[in-house]
Amino acid sequence: MAGMEMRALRKSYGGLEVLHDIDLTIDDGEFVVLVGPSGCGKSTLLRMIAGLEPITGGEFRIGGRRMNEVPPRDRDIAMVFQSYALYPHMSVGRNMGFSMEIRRRPAAERAGPVAAAARTLGLDRLLERFPKALSGGQRQRVAMGRAIVRDPQAFLFDEPLSNLDAALRVEMRLEIARLHQRLGTTTVYVTHDQVEAMTLADRIVVMNGGVIQQVGNPLELYDRPANRFVAQFIGSPTMNLLDLVADADGLRLGNGVRLLGPAPAAQLGIRPEHLAVVAPADGEITAQALVIERLGSDTNVFTEAEGIGPLLARVHGNVDLRPGDRLGLRLIRERIHLFDAAGRRLPPMH
Amino acid sequence: MSATQEERAPGMPRARLARAWLRYAVEPYLYLSPALLLICFVMLIPLAIGISYAFQSINLLRPFDAGFIGLENFEALAGDGRFWTALTNTFWWTFGSVTLQFLLGLGLALLLSTRFHGKRLVQALVFLPWAVPTFLTALTWSWLFNPVIGPLPHWAAAVGLLSEPYNILANPDTALWGPVLANVWYGVPFFAITLLAALQSIPSELYEAAEIDGASPWQCFTKITLPFLGPMIAITVMLRAIWIANFADLIFVMTGGGPANSTQILATYVFTTAFRKLDFGYASAIAVALLGVLMVYAVILLVVREKLVRV
Amino acid sequence: MAALRRTPPALVAGKYAAIAAYVAFALFPLYWLLKIALTPDTLIFSDGTALWPSELTLDNFRTVIFQSDFMAYFRNSVTVSLSTAAATTLIAAAAGYAFSRFTFRGKRWVVALMLLTQMFPLLMIIAPIYKLVAAIGLLNSLTSLIVVYTAFNIPFATFLMQSFFDGIPRDLEEAAMIDGCTRLQALRVVILPLTLPGLGATLGFVFTAAWSELLFALMLINSNDAMTFPVGLLTFVSKFSVDWGQMMAAGVLALVPSCLFFLFIQRYLVQGLTSGAVKG
């Protein structure tokens, strides 16, 4: 096992630079999730870590050793692909033991680790089968088994759950978390799903446009997003953004409500769960309910707020509202985020 | 950060750059080189030489007459009645073959895209002619047209197509039909297979949606199938026409260009001039003319396609 | 859906009639070839256009196989076609792999070059090829045919192989490389086993093409020893154009290898013809 270091890592195709000066240190045994919208460069970064994409500039180290020119086979890493990439002409057992077979380890020596991994993943009875006879979840397990047998310095996962249905995704997510707890292997995990990121990660790296937006543990990202992009990307449903107007007396919302805060703030962010639904007369904001989504545990109230525009509030439990009803909304003060015109986070209000 | 980058740049990356360059610029050419070498030496260089032959006198029967003669071959070509006949025949041969192959191929593809009993067997059987070597196709059909041994003249006479059972390949007025028919037999599977593949690429939801919207089968064909297949049909027909214009085997074996040049197309004229008369200069001049005709055709097609795409 | 709208029985009957007509059109010439080949010489004229021969015999095949040069021609053709198919498939697999797995400077030009070779009349180069082959003293040798045929078939076979490689996910190769393979090991252990059907199909296509080629063989071969089957059969036809039964028996023999390969490659026809739509 080993940590990783990236110093000013860059990647360009022809003249087009897709990753700009990536600096990131991953500690030994840490579970790091790279997350961001599609095309943000997270998969490219993972492939550079794996050695599948040449590094254009900067330096990359695993366990202190420079890796830029080292081919994938010598980096001592294992990777789980989105497509699983199981060898269709080999049985499950041979798939899992392939890395040892390639290193010319005798069959007797291979059997032990393969059997152990198969037991961990519940694949004992499938070792003789071929990948095409497996379900999606089973294929996923074989892909993970192959990585485990390899016993590498680091695991790399490239959107491993995106081909599974919702129920299976939750199950496999747990499985991956348990695996990491048990083995403690350094793991880099790429996903575009922020729920996976929040649930699995020790630390999350949010990327956009080839640039790291913020690095931090899940709650840091939720409580103190570094900028508007991170604020909107982390958290579901998405954070509400309200335009602020600055005048001689300070800041006010579109409907005239005054706020205390630093002058340069251009926008206010408030998560749907931090908007309190109250009687129309008690609210800072008056709004009309448009659509009510009842999820059982929570209720999403989509509203049109006077002088502000669409706002979404999330209420714990049920709420007695119908489309067309008028309601009041209050901002929970300590949960307000302020952003300047460029989208950077400003210090909170006092 | 970018400063450290710059400082390192001169020393370190040279070896790495060289390796990356080797991997990304040279390695693919390593795999391609046998193919490229063969194509260059067997096709492209001979092509250049062949074009140069058109401006020379090269006749193996008159080896001492060799040398550059400028445009003399082409002047002779302009005054050669057989050349102009061959040009006309090339048009009819190509047009007739492509039209019939396409129509019959489309019909077959439409049939094969429906469901019926024994479809796999039928498919294997109707595609079989494609596998028959061309020289054998030619021989088989010339035997079928021969009244001594084949049934076709007798049947044609029985239904009144022919006044008496004679060999249509021996009659200048009808001879071209022989190779065309053989070509249709040989080429229908090609069109059927390509069109069938295209038909199967049309999503079936489209037909279901159209059916729910109340479209008749004929409307489905004209409003969905044809627009979908249009581009693919155009490209296949274009390329196939060029291939058929160059396709000399059938005619050469069945009629040798005769009787009285009535089936001579440019491609067979090139071959017989080179093979029988060993007049390589003149043969190359005809070939260059054929190439010219095909290029004009290709340009016209590109213009037409441009127009079609714009509409 | 289909069950709801009943097709009128007349249409169904029409459809089956059309299918039957296509099958008859496709098979009749081959049936006739076989029929004459199996009819005893003495009955050919009296049987005339009867659909069934009144008596069957294998004499014609016996004569062709044991008392003529056709078996030598057959052997020559098998040698030429198999060698061509093997060489072409090997070279085209390498080129197709490069097209499928690399983006490199000049790729568009190489592809354009290969397409160009499919567009110009091959007969343009028959004279230069003859002179070149004569100059290096390879007239009447099977080697010259193999080299020429290999070059002719490479572009088509390359595009075909490329389409097979494209069908194998890049992930597999990358997974193998992470598992510890070099690129060549990944090629051998993972890609090659998965491309075997593709290699077989390419082999079949090229074999069929080489087996049928006539014009260049006519030009480059005129000694009886080196004749391929098409050349031999054509020479036979122009010399002894009355031995109908024997000619057709020889024709049936020429058909056998093609049909065998056809059965084998039938599954890949669509892929072959659409990836190389340029060529028949």
Side-chain angles (χ1 to χ4, degrees):
Chain A
M1 272 183 279
M4 299 181 189
E5 279 170 85
M6 291 158 222
R7 291 289 160 259
L9 222 50
R10 284 185 299 115
K11 173 71 190 174
S12 45
Y13 294 105
L16 184 73
E17 189 159 299
V18 295
L19 285 178
H20 318 278
D21 286 339
I22 301 290
D23 280 289
L24 184 64
T25 304
I26 297 172
D27 292 332
D28 191 1
E30 199 177 12
F31 196 120
V32 168
V33 174
L34 305 180
V35 69
S38 59
C40 71
K42 57 189 190 296
S43 283
T44 308
L45 184 56
L46 189 77
R47 292 168 56 81
M48 283 159 78
I49 294 174
L52 298 172
E53 291 284 348
I55 294 167
T56 311
E59 193 175 47
F60 172 56
R61 292 172 178 274
I62 298 178
R65 197 178 139 221
R66 181 184 161 91
M67 284 288 155
N68 290 40
E69 295 81 14
V70 177
R73 64 175 181 280
D74 297 330
R75 291 195 182 193
D76 198 12
I77 38 139
M79 181 155 164
V80 175
F81 290 79
Q82 180 174 4
S83 65
Y84 316 139
L86 303 182
Y87 311 120
H89 57 302
M90 299 181 192
S91 68
V92 166
R94 200 169 158 219
N95 257 290
M96 287 170 57
F98 186 68
S99 60
M100 302 176 84
E101 182 183 332
I102 273 302
R103 293 190 166 71
R104 300 180 189 286
R105 305 269 289 277
E109 207 177 309
R110 302 202 293 260
V114 170
R119 217 171 310 119
T120 315
L121 294 164
L123 292 169
D124 316 50
R125 267 170 293 165
L126 302 176
L127 286 179
E128 300 304 314
R129 292 233 197 132
F130 281 84
K132 63 170 184 287
L134 301 179
S135 69
Q138 289 168 336
R139 287 179 203 188
Q140 169 69 59
R141 283 167 200 272
V142 176
M144 280 166 54
R146 192 166 65 181
I148 296 171
V149 170
R150 176 77 202 267
D151 187 24
Q153 292 197 53
F155 286 132
L156 309 180
F157 289 87
D158 188 8
E159 309 220 9
L161 304 183
S162 51
N163 288 345
L164 299 177
D165 64 45
L168 212 50
R169 204 176 298 174
V170 175
E171 188 189 324
M172 291 312 297
R173 208 169 70 199
L174 273 174
E175 192 102 21
I176 292 174
R178 270 186 25 219
L179 197 71
H180 182 251
Q181 280 166 14
R182 216 166 55 86
L183 300 176
T185 309
T186 312
T187 301
V188 184
Y189 185 108
V190 163
T191 181
H192 60 262
D193 177 9
Q194 52 117 351
V195 178
E196 272 172 42
M198 297 294 278
T199 50
L200 286 170
D202 293 327
R203 272 196 305 157
I204 297 179
V205 178
V206 183
M207 296 181 65
N208 190 34
V211 176
I212 292 183
Q213 302 290 322
Q214 190 174 2
V215 183
N217 70 42
L219 285 182
E220 267 169 38
L221 260 50
Y222 179 83
D223 290 333
R224 289 187 297 283
N227 56 39
R228 198 166 53 200
F229 176 81
V230 177
Q232 291 221 287
F233 194 82
I234 300 291
S236 170
T238 309
M239 179 186 282
N240 294 298
L241 278 182
L242 290 72
D243 285 333
L244 292 173
V245 186
D247 57 23
D249 298 328
L251 297 170
R252 59 181 169 80
L253 288 173
N255 66 352
V257 170
R258 296 227 158 258
L259 294 163
L260 293 170
Q267 278 186 315
L268 176 154
I270 184 89
R271 298 196 184 276
E273 52 271 40
H274 301 144
L275 270 175
V277 175
V278 293
D282 300 338
E284 295 166 292
I285 300 168
T286 3
Q288 187 176 26
L290 299 177
V291 176
I292 320 272
E293 285 180 352
R294 297 180 203 282
L295 305 173
S297 60
D298 297 284
T299 305
N300 292 335
V301 186
F302 293 83
T303 70
E304 177 71 26
E306 274 169 26
I308 291 173
L311 275 184
L312 168 60
R314 185 181 177 99
V315 183
H316 195 67
N318 199 1
V319 63
D320 184 24
L321 278 173
R322 266 173 298 170
D325 285 353
R326 295 180 59 75
L327 60 135
L329 294 169
R330 296 194 70 89
L331 311 171
I332 296 176
R333 281 295 183 277
E334 55 272 30
R335 293 299 200 166
I336 284 176
H337 308 271
L338 291 175
F339 303 104
D340 68 9
R344 282 184 299 258
R345 177 186 179 81
L346 294 169
M349 293 186 302
H350 304 294
Chain B
M1 217 138 312
S2 61
T4 49
Q5 202 65 36
E6 243 94 271
E7 281 161 30
R8 274 190 204 149
M12 177 194 67
R14 185 148 300 166
R16 194 177 61 196
L17 270 181
R19 205 173 320 162
W21 184 82
L22 196 76
R23 170 134 182 247
Y24 286 91
V26 173
E27 194 179 347
Y29 280 102
L30 223 62
Y31 299 132
L32 280 169
S33 54
L36 289 180
L37 282 178
L38 262 177
I39 289 176
C40 277
F41 282 103
V42 182
M43 299 182 84
L44 296 178
I45 292 175
L47 177 65
I49 299 177
I51 292 175
S52 81
Y53 279 3
F55 305 95
Q56 298 176 48
S57 163
I58 302 185
N59 189 331
L60 296 196
L61 301 178
R62 287 179 286 128
F64 303 110
D65 252 0
F68 273 92
I69 52 166
L71 293 175
E72 250 177 63
N73 282 329
F74 291 98
E75 281 161 22
L77 209 57
D80 181 357
R82 304 172 72 175
F83 170 74
W84 295 107
T85 316
L87 189 61
T88 328
N89 286 340
T90 303
F91 171 76
W92 288 115
W93 153 255
T94 310
F95 179 75
S97 303
V98 172
T99 313
L100 289 174
Q101 283 183 0
F102 168 68
L103 291 178
L104 287 174
L106 181 62
L108 183 55
L110 288 173
L111 279 177
L112 287 177
S113 68
T114 63
R115 260 182 296 179
F116 56 85
H117 296 293
K119 181 167 156 185
R120 284 174 61 94
L121 182 67
V122 165
Q123 195 162 318
L125 292 179
V126 292
F127 289 167
L128 191 59
W130 177 83
V132 175
T134 44
F135 69 90
L136 196 62
T137 304
L139 285 175
T140 307
W141 279 90
S142 59
W143 290 332
L144 286 174
F145 284 124
N146 187 331
V148 177
I149 199 84
L152 294 186
H154 303 280
W155 292 349
V159 297
L161 274 175
L162 296 181
S163 52
E164 53 177 315
Y166 65 85
N167 190 341
I168 62 160
L169 296 177
N171 178 346
D173 294 331
T174 52
L176 194 55
W177 280 105
V180 168
L181 203 58
N183 196 9
V184 169
W185 182 78
Y186 171 74
V188 164
F190 169 84
F191 270 103
I193 294 166
T194 35
L195 292 172
L196 186 61
L199 278 176
Q200 283 165 351
S201 71
I202 303 177
S204 62
E205 289 91 349
L206 281 183
Y207 290 107
E208 285 161 7
E211 210 168 330
I212 290 168
D213 287 343
S216 69
W218 175 250
Q219 281 172 320
C220 281
F221 179 72
T222 55
K223 305 280 182 209
I224 298 177
T225 312
L226 279 186
F228 249 87
L229 295 192
M232 153 72 192
I233 288 177
I235 290 172
T236 313
V237 168
M238 270 157 49
L239 294 176
R240 194 62 180 173
I242 292 179
W243 191 85
I244 287 178
N246 290 331
F247 184 33
D249 300 39
L250 287 181
I251 294 183
F252 177 74
V253 174
M254 289 177 79
T255 65
N261 277 312
S262 59
T263 57
Q264 193 78 278
I265 61 168
L266 288 176
T268 54
Y269 197 24
V270 173
F271 185 71
T272 47
T273 309
F275 178 64
R276 296 240 168 87
K277 297 192 185 147
L278 297 177
D279 190 344
F280 288 178
Y282 198 58
S284 297
I286 307 170
V288 168
L290 172 57
L291 186 65
V293 170
L294 292 178
M295 277 164 61
V296 170
Y297 166 79
V299 169
I300 293 174
L301 276 180
L302 286 180
V303 172
V304 169
R305 205 186 68 152
E306 198 82 342
K307 284 245 168 70
L308 280 181
V309 167
R310 212 170 287 156
V311 170
Chain C
M1 220 29 89
L4 294 181
R5 186 187 275 158
R6 282 248 167 265
T7 323
L11 260 180
V12 175
K15 185 173 113 177
Y16 279 94
I19 292 168
Y22 271 110
V23 173
F25 178 58
L27 291 190
F28 179 73
L30 299 176
Y31 167 72
W32 201 257
L33 190 71
L34 190 63
K35 183 212 135 180
I36 303 277
L38 290 173
T39 309
D41 275 348
T42 47
L43 290 179
I44 282 184
F45 300 110
S46 58
D47 266 4
T49 58
L51 279 180
W52 298 105
S54 49
E55 207 178 304
L56 292 177
T57 174
L58 287 175
D59 278 352
N60 292 318
F61 287 97
R62 216 165 283 139
T63 320
V64 166
I65 292 174
F66 297 111
Q67 288 159 34
S68 75
D69 292 333
F70 275 110
M71 274 302 108
Y73 304 153
F74 197 89
R75 263 199 306 279
N76 286 338
S77 261
V78 169
T79 310
V80 169
S81 305
L82 274 184
S83 311
T84 303
T88 307
T89 305
L90 200 67
I91 295 172
Y97 181 72
F99 278 163
S100 172
R101 289 300 195 254
F102 292 87
T103 46
F104 52 90
R105 207 174 281 258
K107 185 172 180 177
R108 285 169 50 127
W109 286 102
V110 178
V111 173
L113 200 77
M114 289 215 175
L115 282 176
L116 174 78
T117 62
Q118 303 288 288
M119 305 301 284
F120 72 81
L122 268 189
L123 286 172
M124 279 199 81
I125 60 172
I126 200 162
I129 291 267
Y130 179 84
K131 289 203 79 171
L132 283 174
V133 170
I136 50 177
L138 280 180
L139 282 181
N140 287 321
S141 91
L142 297 182
T143 316
S144 62
L145 280 189
I146 294 169
V147 172
V148 168
Y149 290 175
T150 302
F152 287 177
N153 284 298
I154 279 177
F156 167 76
T158 298
F159 293 128
L160 186 58
M161 280 311 300
Q162 183 195 349
S163 77
F164 283 114
F165 281 123
D166 284 347
I168 299 175
R170 217 181 258 254
D171 283 0
L172 288 183
E173 239 171 323
E174 296 180 342
M177 278 155 77
I178 287 179
D179 272 346
C181 293
T182 61
R183 180 179 280 279
L184 280 182
Q185 271 179 317
L187 192 62
R188 190 167 51 81
V189 187
V190 176
I191 304 301
L192 193 67
L194 295 174
T195 334
L196 278 184
L199 287 173
T202 309
L203 214 62
F205 274 108
V206 178
F207 182 94
T208 318
W211 185 262
S212 319
E213 210 289 330
L214 171 68
L215 301 183
F216 279 78
L218 267 179
M219 199 75 191
L220 297 178
I221 306 284
N222 54 38
S223 92
N224 202 46
D225 296 340
M227 277 185 185
T228 58
F229 207 96
V231 180
L233 188 59
L234 218 63
T235 317
F236 183 85
V237 167
S238 49
K239 263 191 222 150
F240 313 96
S241 54
V242 286
D243 271 333
W244 299 110
Q246 287 181 31
M247 288 193 299
M248 302 214 183
V252 171
L253 289 181
L255 198 56
V256 171
S258 301
C259 285
L260 286 180
F261 270 100
F262 172 74
L263 285 179
F264 174 60
I265 60 179
Q266 217 214 346
R267 275 197 307 144
Y268 305 101
L269 272 183
V270 172
Q271 187 158 13
L273 294 187
T274 42
S275 74
V278 204
K279 218 184 164 190

mmCIF file of all heavy atoms in Angstrom, chain A residues 23 31 52 116 123 132 146 237 260 308:
data_model
loop_
_atom_site.group_PDB
_atom_site.id
_atom_site.type_symbol
_atom_site.label_atom_id
_atom_site.label_comp_id
_atom_site.label_asym_id
_atom_site.label_seq_id
_atom_site.Cartn_x
_atom_site.Cartn_y
_atom_site.Cartn_z
ATOM 1 N N ASP A 23 -2.937 19.445 -8.498
ATOM 2 C CA ASP A 23 -2.112 19.158 -7.322
ATOM 3 C C ASP A 23 -2.959 18.400 -6.327
ATOM 4 O O ASP A 23 -4.004 18.888 -5.909
ATOM 5 C CB ASP A 23 -1.638 20.461 -6.673
ATOM 6 C CG ASP A 23 -0.454 21.030 -7.409
ATOM 7 O OD1 ASP A 23 0.639 20.440 -7.304
ATOM 8 O OD2 ASP A 23 -0.645 22.037 -8.119
ATOM 9 N N PHE A 31 -9.591 6.659 0.991
ATOM 10 C CA PHE A 31 -10.562 6.440 -0.076
ATOM 11 C C PHE A 31 -10.930 7.802 -0.647
ATOM 12 O O PHE A 31 -11.590 8.598 0.015
ATOM 13 C CB PHE A 31 -11.809 5.750 0.481
ATOM 14 C CG PHE A 31 -12.690 5.137 -0.578
ATOM 15 C CD1 PHE A 31 -12.957 3.759 -0.584
ATOM 16 C CD2 PHE A 31 -13.258 5.922 -1.576
ATOM 17 C CE1 PHE A 31 -13.755 3.185 -1.558
ATOM 18 C CE2 PHE A 31 -14.066 5.356 -2.549
ATOM 19 C CZ PHE A 31 -14.312 3.990 -2.535
ATOM 20 N N LEU A 52 -2.677 4.547 -18.363
ATOM 21 C CA LEU A 52 -3.300 4.291 -19.658
ATOM 22 C C LEU A 52 -3.269 5.535 -20.546
ATOM 23 O O LEU A 52 -3.450 5.448 -21.742
ATOM 24 C CB LEU A 52 -4.751 3.836 -19.475
ATOM 25 C CG LEU A 52 -4.910 2.531 -18.707
ATOM 26 C CD1 LEU A 52 -6.367 2.253 -18.389
ATOM 27 C CD2 LEU A 52 -4.322 1.381 -19.511
ATOM 28 N N ALA A 116 -10.109 -17.289 -2.077
ATOM 29 C CA ALA A 116 -10.372 -16.370 -0.972
ATOM 30 C C ALA A 116 -11.209 -15.184 -1.442
ATOM 31 O O ALA A 116 -12.206 -14.812 -0.815
ATOM 32 C CB ALA A 116 -9.050 -15.888 -0.382
ATOM 33 N N LEU A 123 -18.756 -15.522 -4.775
ATOM 34 C CA LEU A 123 -18.680 -16.020 -6.148
ATOM 35 C C LEU A 123 -18.249 -17.483 -6.195
ATOM 36 O O LEU A 123 -17.987 -18.011 -7.275
ATOM 37 C CB LEU A 123 -17.671 -15.188 -6.944
ATOM 38 C CG LEU A 123 -18.040 -13.728 -7.219
ATOM 39 C CD1 LEU A 123 -16.835 -12.980 -7.762
ATOM 40 C CD2 LEU A 123 -19.193 -13.643 -8.188
ATOM 41 N N LYS A 132 -20.425 -14.206 -19.908
ATOM 42 C CA LYS A 132 -21.707 -13.922 -20.548
ATOM 43 C C LYS A 132 -22.865 -14.629 -19.833
ATOM 44 O O LYS A 132 -24.015 -14.272 -20.037
ATOM 45 C CB LYS A 132 -21.675 -14.301 -22.035
ATOM 46 C CG LYS A 132 -21.468 -15.765 -22.340
ATOM 47 C CD LYS A 132 -21.711 -15.995 -23.835
ATOM 48 C CE LYS A 132 -21.617 -17.455 -24.207
ATOM 49 N NZ LYS A 132 -20.208 -17.937 -24.176
ATOM 50 N N ARG A 146 -11.158 -9.621 -9.374
ATOM 51 C CA ARG A 146 -9.909 -9.578 -10.130
ATOM 52 C C ARG A 146 -8.958 -8.562 -9.512
ATOM 53 O O ARG A 146 -7.752 -8.793 -9.410
ATOM 54 C CB ARG A 146 -10.233 -9.214 -11.578
ATOM 55 C CG ARG A 146 -9.109 -9.417 -12.518
ATOM 56 C CD ARG A 146 -9.578 -9.377 -13.952
ATOM 57 N NE ARG A 146 -10.095 -8.056 -14.321
ATOM 58 C CZ ARG A 146 -10.593 -7.764 -15.510
ATOM 59 N NH1 ARG A 146 -10.661 -8.697 -16.441
ATOM 60 N NH2 ARG A 146 -11.028 -6.570 -15.783
ATOM 61 N N PRO A 237 -31.918 17.646 -3.172
ATOM 62 C CA PRO A 237 -31.937 18.409 -4.427
ATOM 63 C C PRO A 237 -30.962 19.580 -4.403
ATOM 64 O O PRO A 237 -30.456 19.954 -3.341
ATOM 65 C CB PRO A 237 -33.382 18.926 -4.485
ATOM 66 C CG PRO A 237 -34.131 18.258 -3.411
ATOM 67 C CD PRO A 237 -33.177 17.700 -2.439
ATOM 68 N N LEU A 260 -28.097 41.190 6.364
ATOM 69 C CA LEU A 260 -26.790 41.708 6.732
ATOM 70 C C LEU A 260 -25.753 40.844 6.040
ATOM 71 O O LEU A 260 -25.864 39.621 6.019
ATOM 72 C CB LEU A 260 -26.598 41.625 8.246
ATOM 73 C CG LEU A 260 -27.508 42.545 9.053
ATOM 74 C CD1 LEU A 260 -27.398 42.212 10.521
ATOM 75 C CD2 LEU A 260 -27.157 43.998 8.774
ATOM 76 N N ILE A 308 -38.921 36.841 -6.585
ATOM 77 C CA ILE A 308 -37.680 36.066 -6.560
ATOM 78 C C ILE A 308 -37.624 35.035 -7.681
ATOM 79 O O ILE A 308 -36.629 34.927 -8.397
ATOM 80 C CB ILE A 308 -37.506 35.375 -5.191
ATOM 81 C CG1 ILE A 308 -37.219 36.435 -4.124
ATOM 82 C CG2 ILE A 308 -36.381 34.356 -5.240
ATOM 83 C CD1 ILE A 308 -37.183 35.926 -2.730
#
